[in-house]
Amino acid sequence: MKTSIRILKLLVLIIYIAGCDSESDQSEGGKQLSIIPQPVKMSLSSGEFELKSSSVIFHSGEELLPLAEYLADEISTASGLELQINEGKGKGINLLLQEDLLNTLGTEGYKLNVTSGGIEIAAAKSGGLFYGIQTLLQMFPAGEECEECEDDEVEFQCVAIEDFPRFKWRGLLLDVSRHFFTTDEVKKMIDEMVRYKYNVLQLHLTDDQGWRLEIKQLPELTTTGAWRVPRTGLWWDREVPQEGEAATYGGFYTQEQMKDLIEYAMFRNVNILPEIEAPGHSLAAIAAYPYLSSTGKKYNVNPGSKFYAIDDNSICAGKETSYEYMEKVLSEVADLFPFEYVHIGGDECFKGFWKKCPDCQKRMKENGLKDENELQSYFIKRLEKILEAKGKKLIGWDEILEGGLAPNAAVMSWRGMQGGITAAKAQHHVVMSPVEYAYIDFYQGDPAIEPPTYAMLRLKKVYEFEPVPEGVDPGYILGGQGNLWTESVPTFRHAEYMLWPRSFALAEVLWSPAESRDWNNFVQRTETHLTRLEQADINYAVSFCDAIITPSKNEKGELLIELGSELEGVDIYYTFDNTYPDDHSFLYKQGEKLPVQKDADTFRVITYRDGKPLGRIITVSIADLIKRVS
Ligand code: ACM
């Protein structure tokens, strides 16, 4: 069953691709190179190099041996070829460190040359070599082509690539609080993200629904705060913890496990950015240490039931003991994580309990703070001092602008671009992560056939993301990040479904020159990469092949239905009569606003390409469509 659905998904894509005729500089003599993200410069030429089982990986010095071994392992997985490794230079794959490339290619850039005499990857730093290796791995045959590999040799088209990133921060966030993911799963995510040249993984380690990092001075954070009562079903509709009910869902990373994960990531040129949420989103910490909140009430870790503005989930900004607590947590975090930044959250802090808290009000009075926003700003500035004393920089969500930004803080702009614009104009560094382009926990296709979540972010919209707004000095925009919040992502398999292919699009936005973006060409390359994911048993979505239903109402209040597609050149067929649509059903004409046929209760729609089904059938009741516009 599973296999047949996956084959169907692939067939659908291959059919789509068969109809594409866009040209790119990635083709020569009928051969295609499907590299994501698109390299800065790539020129294909005639001729080939044949990599054989007798070929050798040469490296320019002892320090490159681990990278050469990594490459040998990856080639073995991609093709079955088991290559030898030698120091030196020769006819095979050559890894070369060349300091003089620093000026032109930076620390993450590389040159990759395939000639009939061999393959050479050169870079100023090992990070660049690592990305050259990723590009080379994308040049191995994918899918059916991979049968070529069975002859004990792989043919590479001659090509010269020069490549470097547009942005230095190319991030993804994984929320391990709302659902817990094991270190093996996080490693798998790292393996997947580095293929597409991401270099920051933000781990959202703490929230109302679970604390996930061992803090040695505060053991209750993980003995109590890491566990909640087991629930499934819709987030926010879950039953609150019952008296005496055991908290059995959860988990956390020991510091030893985290060190291992950090090392794993660093080898792959990925910095792990720890996020410790404060002062809001702190119910798991408060469940462990009730003295942390303004009310001091005893709470349970939240299992996904409603609590916001009901339970006191904010750390009290009045009591000095809160700062002592933050000092303990942030000191251990700063010692553990080598990345220069620590993320302190700062978003969506409910301040209602602060208004009634004598300690908060006293601190406001003593420090001349005019409102609770300024109190939060005072709190964040204290955290910045703790972090700076440990040699770290603070980054937080854009709410840290409210009440005054801490002197050296960087801002992660999520409520649109405006927070980032304001911060950059005030000469603060910014990571752009706006909901409208970068929230990969949102729906990617029609809610009638997608697992429940909220809001909408289609693949094409991600591809349209421009992280540098007009009028802003690009020097302050470190880059961008896609955020995978996991309220509705209970398994790693589903995390993959949400990540891919939208994270292909974001990778290209963050790495490739803005002027090289080309949607049709990107979709073509996406097909090859979905084949690669398929081979690697990584889950992904094909929602971008489905129809888009846009309901509206006319002046009489009657429902009208407009149809569309993310892809060009597709035909859309629909029915109102409770039958499955195919290419014998009504053909939608672009721009039409369809009135609902008399007494119809259900609408169905499917996309076709070149006479073959492309997307999935979407079935949605007329009542639901009316709800969407009410
Ligand atoms: C956020 O999505 N609250 C940062």
Side-chain angles (χ1 to χ4, degrees), residues 71-93:
L71 176 58
D73 273 358
E74 294 290 325
I75 288 178
S76 164
T77 308
S79 66
L81 298 181
E82 302 289 342
L83 305 190
Q84 298 299 306
I85 298 171
N86 274 336
E87 198 167 328
K89 244 186 137 182
K91 193 170 154 80
I93 303 177

Side-chain angles (χ1 to χ4, degrees), residues 330-505:
L330 292 180
S331 298
E332 290 193 30
V333 166
D335 288 345
L336 187 58
F337 291 86
F339 194 31
E340 60 184 314
Y341 285 98
V342 172
H343 199 300
I344 53 72
D347 59 318
E348 299 175 317
C349 174
F350 177 69
K351 303 180 183 86
F353 292 95
W354 287 3
K355 284 190 201 293
K356 296 182 232 148
C357 167
D359 293 306
C360 288
Q361 295 306 312
K362 182 160 170 268
R363 193 169 289 274
M364 282 167 63
K365 205 158 166 217
E366 282 173 1
N367 290 276
L369 307 172
K370 76 170 189 307
D371 59 20
E372 284 71 23
N373 281 341
E374 289 197 2
L375 180 59
Q376 162 149 338
S377 166
Y378 168 91
F379 182 90
I380 304 289
K381 285 174 185 156
R382 294 270 311 253
L383 302 194
E384 183 172 73
K385 284 211 178 93
I386 296 171
L387 287 173
E388 286 187 341
K390 286 275 176 185
K392 297 290 182 189
K393 295 179 187 165
L394 179 146
I395 185 165
W397 300 112
D398 55 65
E399 285 92 331
I400 66 171
L401 283 153
E402 292 162 6
L405 195 51
N408 303 309
V411 169
M412 199 170 263
S413 191
W414 75 278
R415 295 176 301 176
M417 307 286 280
Q418 191 50 52
I421 295 170
T422 307
K425 290 201 164 157
Q427 302 184 330
H428 286 255
H429 282 117
V430 168
V431 175
M432 287 293 191
S433 190
V435 284
E436 63 269 37
Y437 295 104
Y439 266 46
I440 47 183
D441 56 325
F442 286 3
Y443 283 112
Q444 52 197 317
D446 198 286
I449 55 166
E450 293 286 339
T453 172
Y454 64 110
M456 177 66 76
L457 178 60
R458 294 185 187 272
L459 178 64
K460 192 166 187 200
K461 180 90 177 175
V462 180
Y463 200 68
E464 287 163 6
F465 177 31
E466 172 44 54
V468 182
E470 242 170 71
V472 165
D473 179 349
Y476 288 106
I477 310 296
L478 295 173
Q481 185 167 290
N483 296 333
L484 182 53
W485 303 103
T486 60
E487 287 94 334
S488 305
V489 182
T491 64
F492 187 68
R493 190 89 183 135
H494 191 54
E496 291 178 330
Y497 180 84
M498 301 304 275
L499 281 165
W500 312 110
R502 286 183 292 185
S503 301
F504 295 164

